[in-house]
């Protein structure tokens, strides 16, 4: 695969444009009203010049199911006409015998795969493909290269960076039908999975064998492992267990043109040669389409203790985070919620969440319930919260975790046009980051909310 084919946004789209003799200029967003007529001819890409808005669709901003994720970002979908000489009909004729009704270009399906959970404007692609196995993905990639069509891999569409948002001439390769656990080997601590498998389903399958799949993005009920690999996703448990990169042992990837590549290993140790699998982790679908992954699993701790700690300010809560580590406790969850985040999520909580201007969701784990509880006592002694509530059972613990997971969507429900940033700093700089974000927001006359992975030094600053 020639490196000149790489695209910052989608698999082989630049290659496709070059082969088709069209512009490689990036797609520019339409104006706030969505009217292309308001743009001068020189501002438009060729696709915009030939296209027109055929439909605008109002969508939900709260749910992140596969079907509605496309709608969660911009809340509408732009339909553009095809540029002249687009080889879609030839492409369809070549693939229909294999894909049948898993190749579609009707507006209903195109609207569902037009966007993700980011602010990137949803754009209906030329077609949608739902391959079932690696041979179909390989065929699609081969025909796409021959005809100069750009492909955009798609998992569940919960991405927050617009990575799976297509351009009008692109074709979306939706791998959500490839969603099986192919092997689970408890003694060897790994599972071989297809890319469309939902994150939580791997954790549940592992749980049946006393194991756990640690990376737990807040979207874990819907995001796919292929998407997690492509974005190197992390979650609250990353503070102790790390992000997706640490759990990808091996990959099967379909490259530009259809070649099927296997990289990595299927055992704990594998140090010979260059580590190729990590290259694909975090590559946002620019290097190929992941069609199979060997994922590391770990023994599930037998004891878990979850608690909610209240503080007078986010700065006080984040300073407590540093004291926890200095006391020698490594929590498996250390999440911060500030006042606006707590207020946004309160209507949706199913437990008596105490009033506070800042809170930490903390969790410890160990070989036994006693060891998890003992660590929690040490943690609380170091954190010195104004008040604390330890979850009395697994149900209460899950209610606390769910509260944290709902922050993003409940803030979005209140502020549909909020801007959400993802900022990582050394943990000791957290109080300074929080103060600076507040100061800048106030200076700009905006409201700010900060929440997220305090333990990782990674906060979501929302304006
Ligand atoms: C409410 C909410 C909470 C979230 N919380 C977190 C969080 O805590 N941590 C976090 O890291 N993220 C979080 N996210 C962002 C998002 O869920 C993750 O980035 C997730 O990994 C995306 O998975 P997906 O299946 O939805 O991928 P998609 O959105 O479908 O795609 C994301 C990128 O991966 C590429 N891709 C997808 N499948 C493949 C494949 N098989 N091969 C190659 N490339 C592929 C796409 O082209 C695109 O570039 C959150 C999102 C929401 C909506």
């Amino acid at each position: 695969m020639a490196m000149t084919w790489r695209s910052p946004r989608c698999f082989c789209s630049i290659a496709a444009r070059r082969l088709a003799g069209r512009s490689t200029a990036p797609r520019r967003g339409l104006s706030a009203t969505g009217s292309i007529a308001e743009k001068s001819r020189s501002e438009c890409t060729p696709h915009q010049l030939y296209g027109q808005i055929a439909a605008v669709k109002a969508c939900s901003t709260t749910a992140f199911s596969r079907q509605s994720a496309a709608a969660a970002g911009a809340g509408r979908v732009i339909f553009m006409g095809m540029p002249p000489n687009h080889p879609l009909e030839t492409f369809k004729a070549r693939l229909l015998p294999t894909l049948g009704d898993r190749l579609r270009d009707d507006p209903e399906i195109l609207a569902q795969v037009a966007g993700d959970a980011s602010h990137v404007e949803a754009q209906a692609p030329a077609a949608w493909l739902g391959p079932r196995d690696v041979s179909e993905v390989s065929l699609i990639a081969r025909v796409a290269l021959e005809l100069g069509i750009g492909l955009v891999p798609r998992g569940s569409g919960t991405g927050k960076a617009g990575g799976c948002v297509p351009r009008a001439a692109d074709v979306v390769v939706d791998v959500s039908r490839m969603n099986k656990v192919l092997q689970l080997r408890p003694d060897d601590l790994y599972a071989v999975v297809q890319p469309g498998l939902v994150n939580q389903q791997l954790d549940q399958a592992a749980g049946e064998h006393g194991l756990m799949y640690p990376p737990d993005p807040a979207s874990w009920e819907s995001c796919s492992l292929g998407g997690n690999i492509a974005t190197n996703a992390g979650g609250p448990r990353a503070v102790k267990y790390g992000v997706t990169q640490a759990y990808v042992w091996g990959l099967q990837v379909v490259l530009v043109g259809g070649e099927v590549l296997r990289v990595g290993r299927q055992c704990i140790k594998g140090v010979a040669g260059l580590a190729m699998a990590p290259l694909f982790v975090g590559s946002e679908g620019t290097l190929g389409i992941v069609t199979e992954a060997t994922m590391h699993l770990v023994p599930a701790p037998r004891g878990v203790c979850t608690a909610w700690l209240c503080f007078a300010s986010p700065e006080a809560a984040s300073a407590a985070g540093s004291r926890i580590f200095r006391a020698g406790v490594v929590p498996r969850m250390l999440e911060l919620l500030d006042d606006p985040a707590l207020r946004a999520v309160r209507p949706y909580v199913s437990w008596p969440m105490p009033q506070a201007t800042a809170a930490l969701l903390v969790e410890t784990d160990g070989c036994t319930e006693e060891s998890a509880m003992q660590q929690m006592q040490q943690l609380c002694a170091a954190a010195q919260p104004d008040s604390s509530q330890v979850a009395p059972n697994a149900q209460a613990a899950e209610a606390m975790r769910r509260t944290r997971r709902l922050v993003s969507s409940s803030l979005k429900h209140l502020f549909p046009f909020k801007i959400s940033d993802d900022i990582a700093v050394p943990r000791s700089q957290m109080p300074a980051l929080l103060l600076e974000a507040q100061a800048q927001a106030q200076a700009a006359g905006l409201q700010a909310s900060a929440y997220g992975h305090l333990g990782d030094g990674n906060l979501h600053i929302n304006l």
Side-chain angles (χ1 to χ4, degrees):
M1 183 180 61
M3 291 306 286
T4 49
W5 288 351
R6 70 184 184 275
S7 153
R9 288 188 58 247
C10 64
F11 173 54
C12 97
S13 65
I14 285 184
R17 281 153 193 261
R18 286 197 182 137
L19 285 168
R22 292 193 294 274
S23 165
T24 57
R27 178 168 67 87
R28 295 180 194 174
L30 298 181
S31 62
T33 58
S35 165
I36 201 164
E38 291 172 25
K39 302 195 83 165
S40 73
R41 188 182 171 88
S42 62
E43 278 182 292
C44 293
T45 65
H47 294 160
Q48 286 173 339
L49 274 176
Y50 295 115
Q52 59 176 348
I53 300 166
V56 175
K57 196 175 163 80
C59 299
S60 151
T61 56
T62 49
F64 289 97
S65 66
R66 283 177 193 282
Q67 284 72 29
S68 60
R76 61 180 184 173
V77 177
I78 306 296
F79 282 81
M80 316 271 285
M82 281 295 98
N85 306 323
H86 191 285
L88 181 63
E89 291 310 318
T90 316
F91 185 71
K92 281 163 58 178
R94 295 273 301 274
L95 291 173
L96 261 175
T98 306
L99 291 169
D101 63 1
R102 289 176 291 108
L103 187 168
R104 285 173 57 184
D105 60 355
D106 52 286
E108 192 189 345
I109 189 82
L110 299 187
Q112 284 178 23
V113 297
D116 62 5
S118 71
H119 290 275
V120 175
E121 195 139 40
Q123 164 70 66
W128 165 89
L129 305 177
R132 275 196 302 227
D133 58 35
V134 61
S135 65
E136 290 185 355
V137 177
S138 172
L139 174 68
I140 291 165
R142 192 167 73 241
V143 177
L145 183 64
E146 280 171 30
L147 297 177
I149 289 181
L151 299 180
V152 181
R154 181 183 179 90
S156 301
T158 67
K160 293 206 162 198
C164 69
V165 178
R167 304 169 206 216
D170 294 333
V171 167
V172 166
V173 182
D174 174 355
V175 297
S176 60
R177 278 176 168 67
M178 297 171 64
N179 58 2
K180 293 187 183 56
V181 177
L182 300 174
Q183 283 184 54
L184 202 155
R185 299 183 53 146
D187 290 339
D188 296 321
L189 294 178
Y190 74 79
V192 180
V193 301
Q194 290 185 310
L197 184 72
V198 167
N199 176 300
Q200 187 187 34
Q201 289 169 358
L202 176 57
D203 194 44
Q204 282 169 349
E208 288 169 19
H209 300 272
L211 301 174
M212 156 170 109
Y213 176 65
D216 59 341
S219 53
W220 76 329
E221 287 161 336
S222 53
C223 65
S224 73
L225 287 159
N228 291 172
I229 292 165
T231 59
N232 197 9
R237 294 197 292 225
V239 59
K240 181 166 183 178
Y241 292 99
V243 296
T244 304
Q245 178 78 270
Y247 297 88
V248 179
W249 278 1
L251 293 174
Q252 180 192 65
V253 187
V254 172
L255 302 178
V256 172
E259 184 186 342
V260 180
L261 180 72
R262 273 196 181 276
V263 290
R265 57 197 159 99
Q266 287 195 323
C267 51
I268 289 176
K269 192 167 182 182
V271 294
L274 290 173
M276 293 298 286
L279 182 65
F280 290 90
V281 180
S283 65
E284 289 267 6
T286 56
L287 300 180
I289 301 180
V290 173
T291 45
E292 193 185 290
T294 302
M295 308 301 287
H296 178 35
L297 307 173
V298 301
R302 299 293 180 261
V304 176
C305 186
T306 309
W308 193 266
L309 315 185
C310 298
F311 294 86
S313 70
E315 297 77 47
S318 80
S322 296
R323 289 198 297 276
I324 290 169
F325 287 98
R326 277 204 298 272
V329 182
V330 181
R332 79 166 196 174
M333 206 174 277
L334 180 54
E335 297 284 303
L336 171 74
L337 290 83
D338 73 354
D339 188 35
L342 289 167
R343 276 188 277 124
V345 81
R346 184 171 287 284
Y348 307 101
V349 301
S350 56
W351 61 288
M353 187 173 83
Q355 291 289 346
T357 37
L360 290 181
L361 168 64
V362 290
E363 205 161 89
T364 52
D365 65 12
C367 297
T368 60
E369 294 289 347
E370 293 71 35
S371 73
M373 180 56 90
Q374 199 179 11
Q375 287 179 65
M376 184 57 80
Q377 283 165 351
Q378 286 175 313
L379 185 153
C380 288
Q384 298 164 16
D386 297 338
S387 67
S388 61
Q389 201 167 321
V390 175
N393 52 42
Q395 213 178 358
E398 180 51 26
M400 288 181 181
R401 286 183 215 121
R402 189 162 179 75
T403 301
R404 160 63 188 91
R405 281 189 221 118
L406 285 173
V407 170
S408 173
S409 44
S410 45
L411 273 171
K412 185 139 191 165
H413 188 63
L414 281 179
F415 306 101
F417 300 104
K418 76 180 172 75
I419 298 169
S420 170
D421 216 333
D422 217 343
I423 298 175
V425 296
R427 204 185 291 128
S428 63
Q429 300 303 308
M430 274 291 183
L433 170 66
L434 286 159
L435 288 171
E436 181 64 23
Q438 278 300 343
Q440 289 202 15
Q442 266 171 19
L446 297 170
Q447 293 183 61
S449 174
Y451 67 92
H453 318 301
L454 175 64
D456 287 346
N458 173 202
L459 281 191
H460 306 301
I461 309 274
N462 284 237
L463 296 173

